[in-house]
Amino acid sequence: MAQLSDDCFAFGGPMMSVDEAVGLIAARVTPVPDVETVALARGDGRILARDIAAPLPLPPFTNSAVDGYAVASRDLPRRDAQAFPVAGRVQAGGAAPAPVEPGQAMRIFTGAPMPDGADTVFMQEDVRLEDGQVVLPAGLKPGANVRPAGEDIPAGLAALKAGRRLRPQDIALAAAFGLTELSVVRRIRVAVFSTGNELVSPGEARGAAQLFDSNRFMLMAMLARLGCDVSDLGILRDDRASLARALQQVAGSHDLILTTGGVSTGEEDHVKAAVESVGRLVLWRMAIKPGRPVAMGIIDGTPFIGLPGNPVASFVTFVHVVRPTILALSGAAPEVLAPMPVRAGFAYKKKIARREYVRVSLRKAADGAVEAVKFPREGAGLLSSLVDTDGLVELGEDVTQVEPGQTVGFLSYAGLL
Ligand code: AMP
Ligand code: MG
């Protein structure tokens, strides 16, 4: 497990900015050292543990980019079209029957190795056949329609770096190198609890004043998208002693303990006291809306994060606190969230000195511009506000109002995980 010192998340200021939180996490969380080997087809979404240097150039050999006719560039017709005898043919996966001699052309197909003696290919659409010869037009550039060996990636280049979260295109590159397995960081083990006497799990009998636990399933789904191995530890009662017991029990066997609910400052919010009784806790008052206090701590060297109970606050703080923690635990390069500029289709007022996230849907306006439309209601408990929108408009600490037509930054839900 990644062992962290007790005061690792301590923070002196009264309100922590989102950037300070992200910076603190990146600086203090140590990556798990364990590496495992996975089959190439299982590598998507995993964190690469070691650099991969190209064991061969890509493409591995010089080949034709089109179906057509290969010639030597010194034979290229200069002013008028010229007829060439066709000396043979070479197809993908094959070999030329002989070198291309001066004054000859060779039929060639996409991906076929360039025959010796030829360095330029005419597209078949640009030529005509006449009396068994091929008539090639003037004006083609030497080297046209040829893909030289190594033009994509030269041999030896560190093409995939350790810490990279692998995407399908990265898997393709590893396959192109002929690799069958990848060294990746083992999955981060996360224990997830919900807290609250009002919660029951779906499938259980629900009392009149109870609701089905939704956050735990959202968080587990988000963690799964980040490649984590999730232990579903159910719902804990609002009771300090049983919370403390449960937290301590899972600390040794997980890399991160995540809870939702019970971190506010009401007297029924027992998570804070429970963590303090078995480890160390700091309550971050983050300058973010939605999102109330977020608790961070250490229990037996294992990091602990307590997210707020309101579903939208839980979602937004997950993105800014849990996501960077998971990335840091897995030794992944930090992924900066880069909001895309869109046009605000709404007016909004906000307090200075805190960051706000507005739930929006995108639509194409009459003039073709992409416009963000605000979800009509604002409560942090509204699950529909997450379900019926496409993402979040990020309003920085300095912003105090938004006018319709203004450019704002949009973060798609799809890009957050
Ligand atoms: P808390 O942070 O525990 O004060 O909870 C704030 C609000 O979020 C309360 O209305 C809770 O009922 C609700 N809530 C807490 N945990 C969950 C959960 N796991 N799923 C759905 N709602 C929750
Ligand atoms: Mg609660």
Side-chain angles (χ1 to χ4, degrees):
M1 298 299 117
Q3 291 286 309
L4 297 186
S5 70
D6 271 2
D7 60 351
C8 133
F9 294 115
F11 174 76
M15 269 279 195
M16 187 184 292
S17 73
V18 177
D19 289 342
E20 278 167 323
V22 170
L24 205 57
I25 289 164
R28 307 285 170 84
V29 174
T30 44
V32 305
D34 310 339
V35 172
E36 62 190 26
T37 303
V38 293
L40 191 58
R42 302 221 152 256
D44 185 38
R46 303 299 299 270
I47 309 297
L48 195 62
R50 301 191 226 290
D51 290 355
I52 295 179
L56 74 175
L58 291 182
F61 53 92
T62 300
N63 67 92
S64 177
V66 297
D67 291 341
Y69 292 84
V71 296
S73 53
R74 64 179 177 286
D75 286 344
L76 287 175
R78 298 257 149 76
R79 292 190 25 217
D80 301 311
Q82 200 180 313
F84 286 72
V86 181
R89 77 203 292 274
V90 53
Q91 62 193 56
V100 173
E101 300 297 341
Q104 288 183 344
M106 187 172 287
R107 182 74 167 121
I108 195 166
F109 297 91
T110 306
M114 283 300 286
D116 287 342
D119 60 4
T120 304
V121 180
F122 283 83
M123 288 173 74
Q124 63 189 21
E125 294 84 343
D126 295 339
V127 309
R128 73 195 140 81
L129 292 173
E130 221 174 73
D131 304 330
Q133 296 206 316
V134 61
V135 181
L136 306 178
L140 191 65
K141 276 214 207 96
N145 301 317
V146 171
R147 304 189 282 214
E151 78 160 359
D152 187 2
I153 295 183
L157 185 80
L160 294 169
K161 293 266 176 56
R164 185 177 186 87
R165 182 140 64 119
L166 295 168
R167 302 176 296 171
Q169 53 269 52
D170 305 323
I171 303 298
L173 188 55
F177 290 156
L179 302 179
T180 58
E181 293 177 330
L182 297 167
S183 289
V184 298
V185 178
R186 77 148 164 76
R187 292 186 187 279
I188 302 305
R189 297 178 191 136
V190 187
V192 182
F193 296 98
S194 290
T195 71
N197 292 351
E198 76 279 30
L199 303 175
V200 290
S201 285
E204 289 173 1
R206 186 184 64 82
Q210 290 190 304
L211 45 105
F212 292 117
D213 175 3
S214 54
N215 287 358
R216 183 160 44 99
F217 294 90
M218 175 176 75
L219 297 176
M220 290 195 298
M222 294 171 97
L223 290 165
R225 287 203 179 190
L226 291 171
C228 297
D229 221 343
V230 181
S231 304
D232 176 1
L233 292 160
I235 300 164
L236 295 174
R237 313 271 305 160
D238 287 318
D239 168 64
R240 190 190 62 80
S242 58
L243 278 164
R245 259 196 315 278
L247 295 172
Q248 199 163 34
Q249 230 164 45
V250 298
S253 50
H254 292 82
D255 304 304
L256 175 67
I257 305 168
L258 183 62
T259 66
T260 165
V263 290
S264 312
T265 43
E267 65 251 35
E268 289 305 326
D269 292 317
H270 297 286
V271 172
K272 186 168 175 277
V275 176
E276 271 166 344
S277 72
V278 290
R280 282 259 323 188
L281 180 117
V282 285
L283 197 63
W284 286 356
R285 291 177 60 231
M286 282 181 70
I288 184 172
K289 186 187 170 188
R292 288 192 302 183
V294 173
M296 292 224 40
I298 304 286
I299 302 168
D300 288 343
T302 299
F304 162 86
I305 299 176
L307 299 180
N310 272 311
V312 183
S314 195
F315 184 94
V316 170
T317 50
F318 181 100
V319 168
H320 289 99
V321 177
V322 180
R323 176 180 176 278
T325 303
I326 300 289
L327 292 177
L329 280 168
S330 43
E335 294 178 16
V336 182
L337 296 174
M340 302 294 292
V342 298
R343 188 165 74 196
F346 61 92
Y348 193 76
K349 284 202 182 347
K350 73 177 266 295
K351 279 194 186 151
I352 197 153
R354 78 174 175 207
R355 195 179 294 180
E356 292 200 16
Y357 290 92
V358 181
R359 288 144 270 169
V360 299
S361 305
L362 294 185
R363 71 157 179 225
K364 204 145 196 187
D367 64 356
V370 178
E371 198 165 78
V373 181
K374 183 177 162 300
F375 188 78
R377 289 168 296 143
E378 274 164 38
L382 301 173
L383 265 181
S384 59
S385 70
L386 289 173
V387 170
D388 292 341
T389 53
D390 300 315
L392 303 168
V393 159
E394 181 177 279
L395 301 175
E397 285 77 357
D398 307 342
V399 175
T400 54
Q401 63 173 38
V402 175
E403 296 295 344
Q406 200 176 314
T407 300
V408 289
F410 169 79
L411 293 167
S412 163
Y413 294 138
L416 291 178
L417 297 163

